[in-house]
Amino acid sequence: MDHTRRLVLIVLLAVLALLVAADFFVEHHASFWIDGTPGFAAWFSLASAALAVLVAYGWGLLMRRRGERADD
Amino acid sequence: MIAHFSQIATIFLMVAGLYVVMARGNMVKKLIGLSLFQSSVYLLYLLPGKVIGGTAPIIGAGFTVYANPLPHVLILTAIVVGIATLALGLTLVVRIKEAYGTIEEDEIIAKETPKTRNGPGRGGDAA
Amino acid sequence: MIASHLPVLVILIPLLGAVLAALSRHGFAAWLIALLASAAMAAASLALLFRVQAEGMISYRIGGWAPELGIEYRIDAFNVLIVVLVSVVALLTMIYARRSVLAEIIPERIAWFYTMMLLCVAGLLGIAVTGDAFNAFVFLEISSLATYTLIALGRDRRALVAAYQYLIVGTIGATLYVIGVGLIYLSTGTLNLGLIAERLAGIEGSRALIVAEAFIAVGICLKLALFPLHAWLPNAYAYAPSSAAVLLASTATKVAIYLLARFLFTVFGGHVDVGALPIGAILIVLSVAAMFIASAAAVFQNDVKRILAFSSVGQVGYITLGLALANPTGLAGGLLHLVNHALMKGAAFMAIGAIVLRAGTAKLDELSGIGRTMPWTSAALTVAGLGLIGVPGTSGFVSKYYLILGALEAGFGWLAILIVASSVIAVLYVGRIVEVVWFREPAEAARASREAPLELLLPMWVLAGATIWFGIDAEWPAGLAAAAARQLLGGAP
Amino acid sequence: MTETFGPLSPALVLILAGLVLPLLRGWLRDGLFLIAPVLALVLVWALPLGPGLVVDWLGLQLVPLAPDRMARIFGTAFGLAAITGALYGVSQSQVTEKAAALVYAGAAQGIAFAGDLVTLFIFWEILAIGSTLVIWSNGHWRAGLRYALIHVLGGVLLFAGIAAEISATGSVGLQAIRADNFGRWLMLAGILVNAGAPPLAAWVADAYPKASWSGTVFLSAFTTKAAVLVLIRLFPGEPALLWFGLAMAVYGLAYALLENDIRKLLSYSIVGQVGFMLVAIGIGSPLALAAAALHAFAHILYKSLLMMAAGAILRSTGETRLSALGGLARAMPLTTVALVIGAFSLSAVPLTAGFVSKSAIMAALAEGRAAFFWFALTSISAGSFLYVGLKLPWFAMFRPGERREIAEPVWSMKAAMVLLCGTILAIGCVPSALEALVPEIADVAILTPDHVLFQLQLLIAASCIFVVLLPLLRPRAGTTLDVDWLWRELPRKVVAMWAPLSAPIGGAIAAGCEPLRVYWTGFSRRAVDNLSGASNWRTGKIAFWATALLATYVLIAAL
């Protein structure tokens, strides 16, 4: 991981931490039970974005082909 | 048999005429057949109109039985039509002879059908 | 005063015009006479239409003789439709004819051409208005003889053969018809259609009448080109001069169909038992065969005129199918298709005539990209083609819709499916034309041509426009057809 | 009131303008191209709401123009898309495309205002024709043909369904139904084909990128959203839509993440976003339907904007592959801003239109107690930000790339993009303005602190993942296999496999079938000859047939 990327990541994580902290001070209107807890969006998004990338990558390994289609 | 002689004559003319039209390739012969065929119609109309002992339908003393005049009038018209048709047909045959050099239908069709047979889409405009 | 003589005027005007045109000997003068006569005739027939709609059926006695002895002209909701159709199409054809005739017919014969056109129209109108069986034969022969001559005036030498063939076949048809009429006359003693119908009611199971019905049906079917008696038609239409082809394609077979319907319904209608003849069943079989086989033959043609001619044979199948169904909806659909087909086939033949005028050919493979240089003409051809398929929004759809309803009403679900399926074949032959005309690179013929003159485009688009107009505003023609169908089936008009 | 406008519907205005367009030249053509969509939008609002005029046509009660609220929402969206699309594409030289685009937009308006099944179907078919022509006008015949065939299939299914429905109920009205019999399933299937639902979703990404730089903008706006509108009208609350929608959302996400071509990526994302709408329609409550409509509205705006940015890149660089792009931000600042705003709107960044509509969808799911779908769509929403909000701008615009001599597009394209950016941001900043259009969303929490925080956490967390997993997301040239492999590749594969086998097997079969083949060849040639020379009969043959027919009649009569 090169330098810039690491720096960006650190900044992003800091912002995320701030947002989660702020989340403790607002009033929540939960639609269901767990989504009203502070910081839910942060961890849920981390998990689902990672899952999305991995699933797509895996699908790509299976189904991705080199080159353009013959009739495109 | 004799009683039905007129009908039999009519039918014979009709069938003979139609047969000539179908069987002969010569265009003039076809027209002759056609004329025969038409003539049978004249008989068909005229014969029943004849009343035995009847006279022309002119009112006069001593005559009480008249022939029906209407079929005669009709057939007069039909004869005119038949002559016109025959004349026009013969004219056409003359013109066809000038254009093709023959009046045999088979030869004309052969002249207009392309010899090559190489699949669909061709020869569609041949007569 | 004149108004009371309208029924005979519609015939006298073109007859008189024909004489004048023949005497004039001069091309332009003859055209002018023909145009004026057609305009007067169209006006008279429209006046007739309004009178019939206002007063109901009109009976006119020629020379004042009673129907028993003289000839009666009888105009009702059905044949007034045919009269208007024929005279309006004739008027449009005359407007169209001048330019196209100049290009196709040698100058000395032009006056004769218009004479024959007017005679042909007079004959066709005569068949439509007369209420006398033998008079109808005479008019049939007048129009037929004129038609043979018109076809023989075509440029191609094949026109002569086509005319000869049509002469033989047409004469056989007319003769069969007149034999049938003779047999009826022997049985009933009258030639008046109305009186025949009345007297037939009193005759039970006469074999002569059954045979008469058969002769008349087959004779007229020859004239209306019912499959398989159609073979004279494609060559006749393809090699006739363009404007003659327009007139013939949109009116000649239609009038024959009118005559068939008149005999089947008005004369024999009350006596299906006397007939005992499965004319309906045989007619359905032959109609379906026409819809499929003739349309399929159209797909394989290369000459656009022949494509249209074969399509005419196929489309006649739909009309006779409507007659054969013999229920109000189906019959209305058949009659509606009769009118609609006349309009769109007229437009199509006018369009291809204009293309022949400009590009000099009607061969499909030489017409590539003609849509670029003749967009209006090609658009009219396309609209007419869409109507032949029966695309929604064109009049062809409306009439096929009624036919399908009629088939369902008669309990023939399979027939409804066949109607739809046969339309697919129309998609094929129309699609071929559309593909070549619009989607190919312009070929030599297309590059050398330009848009047709206005006097050709105008009548063409009147007909093409009517195809669209009657497809959207379907109420008026459908109402007229329904009234005519009720009239034929014996209900109140 | 509707009578005063007579037959003047937005659809008619656009379609007529499209038909007239090829006949005009120069500025007249451009003027009509620009004015017609504006006129259509004015009409959308000028038509008073009401049941519409009933036209009796062949015994069917047709309502060709039924302006209701839903029609107005979609009409407005279609109108805006057409106006900006026309402005964007006015410099396009292909007149066919312009004409087809107007007809296409008109058909979409026609579907929006259709008050009965028959009218709906007619415009449905015009829509398919118009869009196919848009693709064809760019010269992609095969792709256009594939597209047309798929839509013919959809049209046939819909037609069969409509026919069954009319014969079953006797009514042609548009009323809410459930897919509870075969005919209605057919109808649903036909609509779903147009919506881009699996298993036939592949046509979207196959066809849309084949249009020109301007054509794709039109394509992205109308077909799928018109299908969404019809689903809202006909199948609100249909449970099957929940699963179709979810499948589309997952499919769109996975394929977009893998895609290299910008316009293909955006096409996959259309499928994903339409999936969101389908889930909302599947919920079926008034709020959910309003949310689906609103999302369609917002989606039309931002997807047009994204496609415009993609088109601008294509026109300036001749390239849409991410792997071949990069470093455009400096040379094309306005396009970059447009791309980012569009992407942020799609990812529902607060203060954009997408945030409003997605909030409404989530609120509807919460209200409908659809917990599973709520969590699933939230998670997919986070994933969407990865491909459109991060991957797309980063790889196309911001990542260091070679310097090239490129310029911003022409002013009309820029103006269109600015217009859309403004609209999207305006809606995002003042969501209450939309309540006039969609009053149902009045109670939805949009710009409340907790909701904004929630969304920001979601987006920032996804960004963290993007940075961490960047190597996995690097775009690579290539294609992802899809269901369309079945009809695009399989036949060729089969033929290739068959080739070595065919010689011996084929020989054996040919030997066995030789007599049959000879007979068939002869038969088919005779048939073709008969048909092509069908009229060259001898006169005698015609006379014979006439006699035969007569004989048949007389014989039957004699019996």
Side-chain angles (χ1 to χ4, degrees):
Chain A
M1 200 179 277
D2 62 57
H3 179 71
T4 332
R5 234 169 95 203
R6 188 168 305 155
L7 193 70
V8 170
L9 183 60
I10 289 166
V11 172
L12 282 174
L13 283 174
V15 173
L16 186 61
L18 274 176
L19 287 171
V20 172
D23 210 19
F24 280 93
F25 298 101
V26 294
E27 188 193 350
H28 285 280
H29 307 85
S31 308
F32 305 95
W33 56 278
I34 197 172
D35 59 301
T37 55
F40 162 78
W43 68 259
F44 187 71
S45 171
L46 282 173
S48 48
L51 182 71
V53 174
L54 292 175
V55 165
Y57 187 75
W59 187 254
L61 288 181
L62 277 176
M63 299 303 238
R64 194 90 178 139
R65 296 285 182 276
R66 280 170 189 284
E68 302 279 304
R69 281 220 155 110
D71 52 352
D72 260 358
Chain B
M1 193 65 189
I2 295 298
H4 292 290
F5 177 73
S6 60
Q7 279 95 327
I8 289 168
T10 310
I11 292 171
F12 176 76
L13 274 181
M14 193 182 290
V15 175
L18 211 50
Y19 176 77
V20 172
V21 173
M22 272 188 248
R24 291 293 141 187
N26 186 306
M27 290 181 158
V28 175
K29 289 183 183 169
K30 263 192 204 304
L31 284 173
I32 295 172
L34 199 66
S35 267
L36 273 182
F37 182 48
Q38 284 179 304
S39 311
S40 73
V41 182
Y42 311 158
L43 289 185
L44 178 81
Y45 273 72
L46 290 178
L47 291 175
K50 169 71 184 164
V51 181
I52 295 186
T55 65
I58 301 165
I59 299 170
F63 300 111
T64 48
V65 185
Y66 303 112
N68 186 350
L70 191 62
H72 297 82
V73 179
L74 297 179
I75 288 316
L76 214 52
T77 320
I79 289 172
V80 172
V81 168
I83 290 172
T85 311
L86 188 62
L88 182 59
L90 288 172
T91 317
L92 284 174
V93 173
V94 171
R95 293 274 311 276
I96 288 172
K97 171 79 178 170
E98 286 169 5
Y100 287 89
T102 173
I103 52 168
E104 286 292 331
E105 199 179 14
D106 292 345
E107 291 173 23
I108 291 168
I109 288 180
K111 278 191 182 187
E112 292 293 356
T113 310
K115 301 283 184 293
T116 49
R117 308 197 137 218
N118 48 5
R122 50 91 242 159
D125 48 319
Chain C
M1 222 1 244
I2 286 183
S4 63
H5 291 296
L6 277 176
V8 73
L9 269 179
V10 291
I11 302 162
L12 284 183
I13 293 170
L15 270 180
L16 203 64
V19 175
L20 288 178
L23 290 175
S24 76
R25 307 296 298 269
H26 182 269
F28 182 77
W31 173 73
L32 207 61
I33 291 164
L35 185 69
L36 290 175
S38 311
M41 176 179 78
S45 61
L46 283 173
L48 209 52
L49 172 69
F50 294 129
R51 257 191 73 194
V52 169
Q53 281 187 330
E55 301 167 21
M57 196 186 72
I58 302 171
S59 167
Y60 180 87
R61 295 168 177 193
I62 298 284
W65 293 91
E68 184 79 22
L69 288 172
I71 292 169
E72 183 197 18
Y73 284 2
R74 197 181 262 248
I75 322 255
D76 59 22
F78 178 26
N79 56 4
V80 77
L81 214 61
I82 306 290
V83 170
V84 171
L85 177 76
V86 172
S87 55
V88 169
V89 169
L91 175 61
L92 292 173
T93 313
M94 292 306 174
I95 300 174
Y96 174 91
R98 195 183 70 89
R99 286 295 291 265
S100 132
V101 164
L102 276 179
E104 288 184 15
I105 293 175
I106 52 176
E108 307 85 88
R109 291 187 190 155
I110 289 181
W112 291 116
F113 175 84
Y114 290 113
T115 309
M116 289 304 147
M117 288 284 267
L118 285 173
L119 274 181
C120 178
V121 173
L124 293 175
L125 288 175
I127 300 171
V129 294
T130 189
D132 184 281
F134 196 85
N135 197 224
F137 161 74
V138 175
F139 279 123
L140 191 69
E141 284 295 21
I142 291 178
S143 71
S144 299
L145 286 168
T147 308
Y148 309 145
T149 319
L150 280 176
I151 295 168
L153 282 170
R155 278 192 297 189
D156 199 302
R157 65 175 180 175
R158 282 170 287 189
L160 295 170
V161 183
Y164 175 83
Q165 193 169 48
Y166 185 22
L167 181 135
I168 301 280
V169 175
T171 308
I172 292 177
T175 310
L176 291 181
Y177 167 80
V178 87
I179 291 172
V181 171
L183 292 174
I184 288 181
Y185 178 65
L186 292 180
S187 307
T188 62
T190 179
L191 290 167
N192 185 287
L193 293 179
L195 289 175
I196 294 174
E198 276 174 32
R199 293 185 190 173
L200 281 181
I203 303 171
E204 288 292 330
S206 159
R207 198 166 271 182
L209 283 180
I210 302 171
V211 174
E213 189 172 1
F215 268 88
I216 289 175
V218 174
I220 301 176
C221 285
L222 263 176
K223 296 294 292 188
L224 63 80
L226 182 69
F227 186 88
L229 314 177
H230 66 282
W232 57 269
L233 183 140
N235 284 338
Y237 286 9
Y239 303 124
S242 299
S243 36
V246 173
L247 186 70
L248 296 180
S250 42
T251 58
T253 48
K254 309 302 176 293
V255 172
I257 293 167
Y258 156 78
L259 197 58
L260 181 66
R262 182 58 87 196
F263 268 95
L264 284 186
F265 294 102
T266 312
V267 178
F268 295 108
H271 302 275
V272 185
D273 315 342
V274 174
L277 212 51
I279 287 194
I282 294 185
L283 214 52
I284 287 182
V285 172
L286 295 182
S287 304
V288 171
M291 281 152 50
F292 280 92
I293 301 176
S295 304
V299 178
F300 285 93
Q301 304 304 315
N302 186 36
D303 188 310
V304 179
K305 282 189 178 180
R306 283 172 62 98
I307 296 181
L308 294 176
F310 271 107
S311 131
S312 276
V313 179
Q315 301 284 331
V316 161
Y318 293 101
I319 306 174
T320 48
L321 185 65
L323 300 189
L325 285 172
N327 58 26
T329 322
L331 187 55
L335 300 181
L336 203 55
H337 201 62
L338 185 156
V339 176
N340 291 339
H341 180 247
L343 298 178
M344 53 210 183
K345 207 33 89 54
F349 267 105
M350 281 187 180
I352 189 63
I355 289 176
V356 169
L357 178 73
R358 286 299 196 211
T361 176
K363 298 231 169 64
L364 199 52
D365 48 13
E366 293 170 14
L367 289 180
S368 299
I370 196 89
R372 313 271 174 91
T373 45
M374 302 181 71
W376 287 99
T377 310
S378 308
L381 187 59
T382 311
V383 167
L386 294 179
L388 290 175
I389 299 173
V391 173
T394 62
S395 57
F397 173 76
V398 180
S399 35
K400 278 191 187 164
Y401 175 80
Y402 273 103
L403 279 175
I404 291 172
L405 285 188
L408 292 176
E409 211 169 276
F412 299 143
W414 52 273
L415 202 53
I417 295 171
L418 286 181
I419 294 173
V420 176
S422 63
S423 301
V424 176
I425 307 180
V427 174
L428 290 179
Y429 62 74
V430 173
R432 270 187 76 204
I433 299 178
V434 169
E435 195 261 336
V436 168
V437 165
W438 293 106
F439 294 112
R440 294 222 182 139
E441 283 306 309
E444 202 178 327
R447 281 196 300 274
S449 52
R450 61 209 155 82
E451 186 53 89
L454 192 65
E455 58 181 293
L456 266 61
L457 282 179
L458 209 65
M460 186 192 311
W461 270 98
V462 169
L463 292 177
T467 301
I468 297 175
W469 180 257
F470 290 159
I472 294 166
D473 178 23
E475 294 297 322
W476 185 64
L480 286 180
R486 276 197 302 277
Q487 164 98 39
L488 278 180
L489 290 171
Chain D
M1 261 311 279
T2 324
E3 288 91 336
T4 48
F5 290 91
L8 204 61
S9 78
L12 215 59
V13 168
L14 284 168
I15 292 176
L16 281 180
L19 294 179
V20 172
L21 201 70
L23 305 177
L24 303 177
R25 295 277 177 275
W27 64 270
L28 264 177
R29 176 188 288 173
D30 291 347
L32 181 66
F33 188 53
L34 292 174
I35 290 291
V38 177
L39 206 63
L41 184 61
V42 170
L43 265 178
V44 166
W45 281 90
L47 287 170
L49 299 185
L53 202 60
V54 179
V55 180
D56 185 74
W57 193 68
L58 305 179
L60 299 172
Q61 306 292 312
L62 302 192
V63 191
L65 191 59
D68 59 359
R69 253 168 11 85
M70 227 18 122
R72 196 173 268 184
I73 298 170
F74 277 84
T76 311
F78 291 151
L80 284 174
I83 291 173
T84 51
L87 181 59
Y88 179 82
V90 76
S91 54
Q92 167 68 256
S93 56
Q94 271 284 344
V95 65
T96 328
E97 182 192 300
K98 285 178 165 176
L102 284 189
V103 172
Y104 180 35
Q109 293 281 12
I111 292 175
F113 281 88
D116 65 278
L117 290 168
V118 177
T119 311
L120 174 74
F121 177 75
I122 291 171
F123 282 116
W124 193 266
E125 290 300 306
I126 300 178
L127 187 85
I129 296 168
S131 48
T132 307
L133 286 177
V134 169
I135 297 171
W136 268 344
S137 63
N138 198 33
H140 281 283
W141 296 102
R142 290 183 61 90
L145 193 64
R146 285 197 297 271
Y147 175 86
L149 286 178
I150 295 272
H151 286 272
V152 165
L153 173 69
V156 167
L157 290 174
L158 181 65
F159 183 77
I162 287 177
E165 179 71 15
I166 293 178
S167 66
T169 65
S171 138
V172 294
L174 291 176
Q175 57 245 31
I177 50 177
R178 283 271 188 285
D180 50 9
N181 63 33
F182 185 64
R184 290 172 172 184
W185 268 110
L186 284 178
M187 212 165 14
L188 181 60
I191 303 167
L192 283 177
V193 168
N194 259 27
L200 294 182
W203 65 263
V204 183
D206 177 20
Y208 285 3
K210 302 296 191 305
S212 74
W213 53 269
S214 54
T216 310
V217 175
F218 282 98
L219 290 174
S220 69
F222 299 120
T223 303
T224 49
K225 263 64 74 184
V228 166
L229 169 62
V230 177
L231 286 175
I232 290 178
R233 287 197 194 282
L234 290 178
F235 292 98
E238 169 61 47
L241 289 180
L242 292 168
W243 297 100
F244 273 112
L246 189 62
M248 288 165 75
V250 173
Y251 164 89
L253 174 62
Y255 275 77
L257 275 171
L258 285 170
E259 190 48 57
N260 183 30
D261 183 289
I262 301 180
R263 297 197 297 170
K264 250 186 150 146
L265 181 152
L266 292 174
S267 306
Y268 285 125
S269 117
I270 291 179
V271 179
Q273 295 300 308
V274 171
F276 277 74
M277 300 169 210
L278 256 58
V279 171
I281 300 170
I283 296 288
S285 64
L287 172 61
L289 296 181
L294 189 60
H295 196 50
F297 186 96
H299 181 250
I300 288 173
L301 297 182
Y302 63 67
K303 195 47 65 72
S304 294
L305 181 59
L306 284 167
M307 284 297 187
M308 284 179 187
I313 295 172
L314 172 64
R315 210 181 174 196
S316 294
T317 66
E319 185 60 76
T320 53
R321 282 171 302 169
L322 288 175
S323 53
L325 290 167
L328 297 179
R330 191 162 309 225
M332 305 179 74
L334 191 128
T335 308
T336 311
V337 170
L339 187 72
V340 169
I341 289 181
F344 277 19
S345 184
L346 197 157
S347 336
V349 172
L351 300 184
T352 63
F355 182 59
V356 180
S357 59
K358 210 168 267 182
S359 305
I361 287 189
M362 288 309 169
L365 288 177
E367 186 200 64
R369 312 307 307 157
F372 171 73
F373 291 98
W374 191 92
F375 284 104
L377 289 193
T378 304
S379 137
I380 291 168
S381 193
S384 309
F385 188 55
L386 287 175
Y387 69 80
V388 75
L390 300 167
K391 174 180 163 178
L392 186 54
W394 169 254
F395 285 107
M397 300 305 205
F398 294 110
R399 74 158 162 173
E402 55 189 293
R403 252 188 194 291
R404 347 175 167 212
E405 293 299 313
I406 45 169
E408 283 279 14
V410 296
W411 71 269
S412 55
M413 295 165 73
K414 285 196 280 193
M417 290 194 277
V418 169
L419 208 62
L420 276 179
C421 287
T423 318
I424 288 168
L425 292 179
I427 294 174
C429 293
V430 198
S432 53
L434 277 183
E435 282 167 24
L437 208 59
V438 207
E440 287 91 342
I441 62 156
D443 296 331
V444 175
I446 296 166
L447 287 175
T448 58
D450 67 323
H451 193 58
V452 171
L453 261 180
F454 183 98
Q455 192 66 14
L456 287 179
Q457 288 177 41
L458 204 71
L459 297 170
I460 299 293
S463 312
C464 296
I465 295 295
F466 178 76
V467 177
V468 173
L469 296 180
L470 191 63
L472 296 187
L473 286 164
R474 195 168 292 284
R476 287 179 190 83
T479 46
T480 321
L481 293 188
D482 203 331
V483 183
D484 62 354
W485 181 85
L486 286 178
W487 59 86
R488 294 177 61 183
E489 311 279 332
L490 187 63
R492 203 168 303 142
K493 292 260 188 323
V494 169
V495 170
M497 264 164 53
W498 178 245
L501 291 176
S502 66
I505 297 179
I509 293 175
C513 297
E514 185 60 20
L516 207 65
R517 195 188 62 79
V518 169
Y519 174 75
W520 173 249
T521 323
F523 174 75
S524 64
R525 178 179 300 158
R526 270 199 308 282
V528 167
D529 279 353
N530 276 343
L531 285 176
S532 55
S535 72
N536 305 326
W537 287 17
R538 281 164 183 74
T539 317
K541 193 169 161 194
I542 310 173
F544 168 76
W545 273 104
T547 320
L549 193 60
L550 186 64
T552 316
Y553 272 133
V554 174
L555 269 181
I556 292 174
L559 288 176

